[in-house]
Amino acid sequence: MAAAVEGPELEAAAAAGDASEDADAGSRVRPFLGGNRLSLDLYPGGCQRLLHLCVQQPLQLLQVEFLCLSTHEDPQLLEATLAQLPQSLSCLRSLVLKGGQRRDTLGACLRGALTTLPAGLSGLAHLAHLDLSFNSLETLPACVLRMRGLGALLLSHNCLSELPEALGALPALTFLAVTHNRLQTLPPALGALSTLQRLDLSQNLLDTLPPEIGGLGSLLELNLASNRLQSLPASLAGLRSLRLLVLHSNLLASVPAGLARLPLLTRLDLRDNQLRDLPPELLDAPFVRLQGNPLGEASPDVPSSPVAALIPEMPRLFLTSDLDSFPVTPRGCSVTLACGVRLQFPAGATATPITIRYRLLLPEPGLVPLGPHDALLSHVLELQPHGVAFQQDVGLWLLFTPPRARRCREVVVRTRNDNSWGDLETHLEEEAPQRLWAHCQAPHFSWFLVVSRPVSNACLVPPEGTLLCSSGHPGIKVIFPPGATEEPRRVSMQVVRMAGRELQALLGEPEAAVSPLLCLSQSGPPSFLRPVTVQLPLPSGITGLSLDRSRLHLLYWAPPAVTWDDITAQVVLELTHLYARFQVTHFSWYWLWYTTKNCVGGLARKAWERLRLHRVNLIALQRRRDPEQVLLQCLPRNKVDATLRRLLERYRGPEPSDTVEMFEGEEFFAAFERGIDVDADRPDCVEGRICFVFYSHLKNVKEVYVTTTLDREAQAVRGQVSFYRGTVPVQVPEEAEAARQRKGADVLWMATLPIKLPRLRSSEEPRRRAGLSLAPLNLGDAETGFLTQSNLLSVAGRLGPDWPTVALHLGVSYRELQRIRHEFRDDLDGQIRHMLFSWAERQAGQPGAVGLLVQALEQSDRQDVAEEVRAVLELGCRKYQDGIRRTGLAPKDPALPGSSAPQPPEPAQA
């Protein structure tokens, strides 16, 4: 989402007029007026403010040449406001009427309410720049066609399906942008724009171009990317001034040979078309980009052989949860995985057949790279073989639940390449209101995950300099002068807001305020050759005319430092009515504070932590029909009530814990105490402590089975579960020591909730421990994992009254079900064990038996038992792999998590 604009920035050229004749009206203008620029798009109610100013008619208003106004207003109020402009702002040269300041739940910019313009706007005789982007225009307003002095017209992100013929009569037009509309055709009169230098028609529905387009003799740049063009007129060869021609992502099968003879052409982008042949002059030209074209291949309409004509369409594969690999041939295929993943292998993506392996991994801090303000939205998908190079990009779709509406955030797919992580260009596709696909092109096979991050704006800085603007925060920009770098380098910015009330509560100061937090990063050398100018808006409610400079602090933080540094005295702060500017030679984090406090570095660290903290509650519930099954979950505070309403039909337990604060990706663990212990050997269990990692948009839930060594026949066991921050310590403290820690200054303890195991009836325990006289039984195999007799007894003890449903899904006949019920009519445990072990004996030596059991448990709505079986199998596989490695029977596999082979270096934080 680059927001770079090359060329000099428009500067305010005149000072504010003398407001002595109308001091009250002038004071109303000052918060919004900077020089001859009036910016009302940053404030709510901009139309009402402008109408009030038009009534007052202060002297400063007569000198305004640049006006910015948001179109997220009431349509009638917006129309009434615009009708006043010709009389009140007669000197206006630039008019920006944009939407896009508000965003939807996915972070996409919303269109404004503008559908037309008042006819009187044509009376703005000096108007040279008109920006109507991100609105709801379906036709071009007639008044625009009468603005004879218009030099730049921006119509991007509207609903235009055509352009009028009269557009060709604008004699001064040099720049026209109509991207992201619905244009299907272009008017022939477009070729009459003799002064036009830049034309951007990308992201439309154009399938042809009029031959008259070759009459644009002054055209320097033409962008027709992402349309439906199947051919180009030969008249394009007449664009003798053309330097840049962008045609990627169309349906072109050929291009005019005359393009090779354009004398000034320095870049021709033909990527992702259907080109099978190209003039030799273009085929070898260094300025032509051709990736994604089937050059040299036979046309699909003319089969190269009778056999080729009989090749069936691309296969479609739907994989169940028990499969972890699939084949891909040169024909390509479309693959849907049970874990919410889709892959599209185009024909010719691989020259030889290849087997693709995949697995879905639980996120861990060492594997998941998150920036300070990122949020994880999915589990980690691993595709193997790593680093495999495909001849065409493979499409990848990852299913996720969208986050709550948050301003200025975006969703991206993050992947690992070599030893570094990066974000891929991502498009979102809606499947249902709460189910979205994140779609990207996978350049390689590695690890993939879906992340929500602050909107990132990036650009490539050339030696000539450029301008980088924030798309979500007007007024935040970075100006790179000529000579700032010798070689082009990529720079990016992210912006994070902090609510003023949170800061005021933290400082105990009602007048404290901060600007948005700005993060700047770059590739290449750490410093620039010339100072770079950074512009930040002043803290909310503060203007350049009213602030006390002694209270203004510019703070700087460079990781991995702990505190923020106050660099106000080290830079020259240039203040305008709305903005502060300063110069830097290297990038990091910057923040403007307005406060009476003197030492603000430590306060800034606390405020920054507050921005990243999530308020959560911890719950511990026991299944009503099986109290030994305990559900542990960490929930964001806003989700607690809805989750409890859903769970309390099957579970019961104490009230949730008090609210605690946690960071995204923070580790914590649950410790059972006072005679309660975990009744299973689990991969996530260390000395009876269950490990967790908190991710705000994932289900931080685990179901465990507990036991006790105390005598439950004498009385019920009243234990507890406590939650602590961090990983499980090497020396796990005793419960008494942990209690002392909770009373001290140690904040590792978060909550303690009671767990009660009811007293057993005298006849229940012998029956619970009674087993069947069966030979030792191992269900499964060494590669996928065994379920032993002990494991099956544990499963039998969890099924309870659900066992008939599980039996039917296992294939047990209804007649046999009735026989078991009759034979063990007074013994529920006997019914379950007999059914399960009889089925297991029949499956001995059969492949896929364990998978069948897991599937039956899931179909019977016993996901809790299915997950326990999976955990047992995973633990068994790890032990098996470790065993054969220790004996030297197999090579080390660095790709296996938890293996003894050297692991790849930990990823750097994004």
Side-chain angles (χ1 to χ4, degrees):
M1 299 181 63
V5 181
E6 296 196 13
E9 181 193 7
L10 290 175
E11 297 289 346
D18 184 5
S20 59
E21 297 180 8
D22 194 344
D24 180 66
S27 64
R28 296 180 185 275
V29 180
R30 291 191 189 102
F32 323 111
L33 182 61
N36 57 355
R37 185 189 302 269
L38 182 58
S39 300
L40 293 170
D41 56 335
L42 308 181
Y43 300 88
C47 284
Q48 291 181 345
R49 297 174 189 269
L50 182 55
L51 281 175
H52 183 80
L53 292 174
C54 291
V55 172
Q56 296 291 329
Q57 285 291 328
L59 291 180
Q60 296 99 318
L61 196 62
L62 300 177
Q63 300 178 6
V64 170
E65 297 181 1
F66 306 93
L67 172 64
C68 296
L69 188 64
S70 172
T71 55
H72 293 293
E73 300 274 1
D74 177 74
Q76 295 181 350
L77 179 62
L78 183 61
E79 183 178 0
T81 304
L82 296 178
Q84 297 294 320
L85 297 186
Q87 296 78 30
S88 303
L89 288 87
S90 56
C91 296
L92 205 61
R93 292 176 51 207
S94 173
L95 177 58
V96 178
L97 301 173
K98 289 178 62 174
Q101 291 87 3
R102 299 178 183 175
R103 293 177 177 264
D104 61 15
T105 57
L106 306 179
C109 296
L110 294 175
R111 300 182 191 273
L114 190 68
T115 58
T116 187
L117 292 176
L121 279 188
S122 59
L124 293 172
H126 302 284
L127 195 67
H129 174 268
L130 179 61
D131 189 350
L132 302 175
S133 304
F134 285 101
N135 280 295
S136 304
L137 297 174
E138 296 183 358
T139 58
L140 190 61
C143 64
V144 175
L145 304 174
R146 298 193 295 271
M147 297 178 177
R148 310 292 291 176
L150 202 60
L153 178 59
L154 289 79
L155 301 168
S156 299
H157 293 275
N158 276 280
C159 306
L160 299 171
S161 58
E162 61 180 1
L163 295 175
E165 288 280 348
L167 186 65
L170 294 178
L173 196 64
T174 61
F175 176 45
L176 176 61
V178 203
T179 70
H180 291 84
N181 276 271
R182 303 169 184 173
L183 298 179
Q184 299 181 20
T185 59
L186 296 177
L190 191 68
L193 296 171
S194 58
T195 59
L196 193 64
Q197 297 180 6
R198 297 172 60 196
L199 177 59
D200 192 346
L201 299 168
S202 59
Q203 299 284 346
N204 278 284
L205 305 174
L206 298 172
D207 52 16
T208 59
L209 298 176
E212 290 79 3
I213 199 171
L216 299 173
S218 301
L219 197 63
L220 303 176
E221 300 179 6
L222 176 59
N223 190 342
L224 295 164
S226 300
N227 278 280
R228 300 177 179 178
L229 296 173
Q230 301 181 34
S231 62
L232 299 174
S235 61
L236 284 183
L239 302 176
R240 310 298 290 175
S241 300
L242 198 63
R243 298 182 179 182
L244 171 65
L245 179 55
V246 181
L247 294 163
H248 73 73
S249 305
N250 278 281
L251 303 173
L252 296 173
S254 63
V255 297
L259 294 182
R261 295 187 290 274
L262 291 177
L264 302 180
L265 193 63
T266 59
R267 180 182 172 190
L268 175 58
D269 192 342
L270 295 169
R271 293 173 299 155
D272 298 317
N273 278 279
Q274 302 298 320
L275 296 172
R276 300 179 182 276
D277 191 16
L278 207 63
E281 302 92 332
L282 291 177
L283 197 58
D284 300 326
F287 59 84
V288 181
R289 304 183 67 181
L290 295 169
Q291 294 91 334
N293 283 283
L295 287 169
E297 296 182 10
S299 171
D301 299 329
V302 184
S304 57
S305 68
V307 176
L310 300 176
I311 294 178
E313 64 178 10
M314 179 183 296
R316 296 179 178 271
L317 305 178
F318 297 88
L319 273 63
T320 57
S321 58
D322 58 332
L323 298 176
D324 62 358
S325 64
F326 55 90
V328 176
T329 67
R331 289 167 48 198
C333 62
S334 174
V335 184
T336 300
L337 308 181
C339 56
V341 176
R342 297 205 316 251
L343 293 135
Q344 180 83 33
F345 296 85
T350 176
T352 58
I354 185 174
T355 298
I356 304 299
R357 300 186 302 278
Y358 76 93
R359 56 181 174 176
L360 204 63
L361 305 174
L362 293 176
E364 298 177 359
L367 181 62
V368 176
L370 293 179
H373 298 279
D374 293 348
L376 183 65
L377 303 182
S378 73
H379 288 75
V380 182
L381 172 69
E382 183 183 8
L383 294 174
Q384 295 179 344
H386 291 175
V388 63
F390 291 97
Q391 298 180 16
Q392 297 187 47
D393 284 346
V394 175
L396 173 63
W397 287 261
L398 297 172
L399 190 64
F400 70 98
T401 300
R404 296 182 62 200
R406 296 195 65 180
R407 187 180 179 186
C408 299
R409 295 190 70 85
E410 61 187 353
V411 174
V412 294
V413 174
R414 186 162 293 170
T415 185
R416 183 168 180 169
N417 187 11
D418 296 329
N419 290 327
S420 63
W421 288 82
D423 294 339
L424 302 175
E425 182 178 349
T426 306
H427 305 280
L428 302 183
E429 301 176 6
E430 186 172 3
E431 180 184 76
Q434 292 300 318
R435 289 170 64 86
L436 294 173
W437 292 98
H439 173 214
C440 66
Q441 298 295 321
H444 56 270
F445 272 8
S446 177
W447 292 272
F448 299 87
L449 52 135
V450 183
V451 172
S452 169
R453 70 178 187 187
V455 171
S456 178
N457 298 114
C459 71
L460 192 67
V461 179
E464 296 81 15
T466 189
L467 171 67
L468 176 63
C469 300
S470 170
S471 62
H473 300 76
I476 298 181
K477 58 187 68 175
V478 183
I479 305 167
F480 300 88
T485 177
E486 291 182 347
E487 299 291 335
R489 68 174 76 179
R490 188 168 185 81
V491 299
S492 63
M493 72 160 61
Q494 288 184 321
V495 182
V496 181
R497 289 184 181 272
M498 181 175 190
R501 61 181 180 273
E502 292 187 18
L503 178 72
Q504 294 161 6
L506 178 65
L507 301 183
E509 182 180 351
E511 297 182 358
V514 292
S515 73
L517 173 62
L518 175 63
C519 173
L520 297 173
S521 59
Q522 61 161 330
S523 62
S527 299
F528 289 94
L529 300 179
R530 294 187 60 190
V532 174
T533 301
V534 179
Q535 175 176 296
L536 279 175
L538 291 172
S540 178
I542 308 301
T543 65
L545 296 178
S546 62
L547 65 78
D548 179 357
R549 290 192 71 122
S550 65
R551 297 171 59 181
L552 189 65
H553 303 269
L554 177 60
L555 303 179
Y556 164 85
W557 177 65
V562 177
T563 61
W564 290 71
D565 295 325
D566 189 341
I567 60 171
T568 313
Q570 304 171 28
V571 300
V572 177
L573 276 178
E574 175 189 347
L575 302 182
T576 68
H577 297 284
L578 299 175
Y579 304 107
R581 288 187 174 186
F582 54 94
Q583 292 187 329
V584 297
T585 56
H586 57 277
F587 280 175
S588 191
W589 296 69
Y590 299 94
W591 210 355
L592 273 176
W593 277 46
Y594 191 75
T595 175
T596 58
K597 308 291 183 182
N598 292 324
C599 301
V600 295
L603 295 173
R605 179 178 61 84
K606 293 180 180 179
W608 185 55
E609 289 181 351
R610 181 71 60 87
L611 277 174
R612 298 156 49 218
L613 284 169
H614 298 269
R615 293 173 173 83
V616 302
N617 298 94
L618 300 153
I619 63 174
L621 304 176
Q622 295 173 264
R623 187 177 281 267
R624 292 181 180 274
R625 63 188 180 195
D626 187 1
E628 295 178 352
Q629 181 184 347
V630 180
L631 181 145
L632 306 175
Q633 189 166 9
C634 177
L635 285 164
R637 187 172 58 181
N638 62 297
K639 297 182 180 180
V640 172
D641 291 341
T643 302
L644 288 179
R645 283 196 298 269
R646 187 177 70 253
L647 291 176
L648 288 181
E649 294 181 0
R650 294 173 293 152
Y651 295 86
R652 60 185 173 191
E655 292 292 321
S657 72
D658 294 336
T659 300
V660 296
E661 295 180 329
M662 300 189 73
F663 293 106
E664 184 82 6
E666 182 175 354
E667 295 181 270
F668 65 102
F669 66 92
F672 290 93
E673 301 165 343
R674 294 188 176 179
I676 305 291
D677 200 1
V678 180
D679 185 24
D681 192 3
R682 301 167 53 108
D684 58 353
C685 182
V686 180
E687 297 192 29
R689 271 57 176 167
I690 304 296
C691 308
F692 286 83
V693 183
F694 171 72
Y695 293 106
S696 56
H697 293 86
L698 300 184
K699 293 182 178 179
N700 308 284
V701 58
K702 294 188 179 181
E703 292 195 70
V704 299
Y705 289 92
V706 296
T707 186
T708 180
T709 57
L710 303 179
D711 185 5
R712 289 177 60 187
E713 292 188 10
Q715 61 181 2
V717 177
R718 300 181 183 274
Q720 65 186 29
V721 58
S722 295
F723 297 88
Y724 301 88
R725 298 184 189 274
T727 59
V728 179
V730 177
Q731 298 292 333
V732 179
E734 295 295 333
E735 189 269 328
E737 182 182 347
R740 289 194 297 270
Q741 290 179 352
R742 296 198 294 271
K743 297 176 182 178
D746 195 332
V747 295
L748 294 181
W749 172 83
M750 293 188 293
T752 294
L753 299 172
I755 297 291
K756 178 183 176 181
L757 294 181
R759 177 182 176 184
L760 293 177
R761 298 190 301 270
S762 57
S763 60
E764 185 174 347
E765 184 64 19
R767 202 184 325 158
R768 176 182 293 267
R769 296 184 179 180
L772 296 178
S773 300
L774 294 174
L777 176 66
N778 282 332
L779 191 65
D781 56 75
E783 293 291 339
T784 60
F786 283 115
L787 288 183
T788 64
Q789 183 173 355
S790 176
N791 298 140
L792 289 176
L793 280 172
S794 177
V795 171
R798 313 301 187 212
L799 293 183
D802 293 331
W803 76 269
T805 307
V806 176
L808 293 173
H809 283 122
L810 286 174
V812 177
S813 66
Y814 185 75
R815 183 175 181 178
E816 183 178 357
L817 204 65
Q818 292 295 86
R819 182 185 62 79
I820 295 174
R821 279 175 168 164
H822 177 74
E823 185 175 348
F824 298 89
R825 51 187 174 274
D826 296 325
D827 184 1
L828 176 62
D829 289 341
Q831 294 175 0
I832 301 171
R833 289 196 302 270
H834 187 87
M835 179 278 298
L836 191 59
F837 276 85
S838 299
W839 172 84
E841 283 187 320
R842 292 194 298 270
Q843 299 295 321
Q846 297 294 324
V850 176
L852 182 60
L853 175 60
V854 172
Q855 183 178 359
L857 292 169
E858 291 176 335
Q859 293 172 342
S860 306
D861 197 25
R862 291 308 303 264
Q863 185 71 31
D864 54 311
V865 185
E867 290 179 356
E868 181 184 352
V869 173
R870 286 198 185 95
V872 171
L873 293 174
E874 182 181 352
L875 182 65
C877 285
R878 290 186 181 183
K879 291 181 177 179
Y880 172 75
Q881 295 290 345
D882 290 342
I884 63 174
R885 288 189 188 110
R886 284 195 300 269
T887 57
L889 296 178
K892 297 180 180 180
D893 181 5
L896 287 173
S899 69
S900 57
Q903 296 294 314
E906 282 210 353
Q909 291 295 312

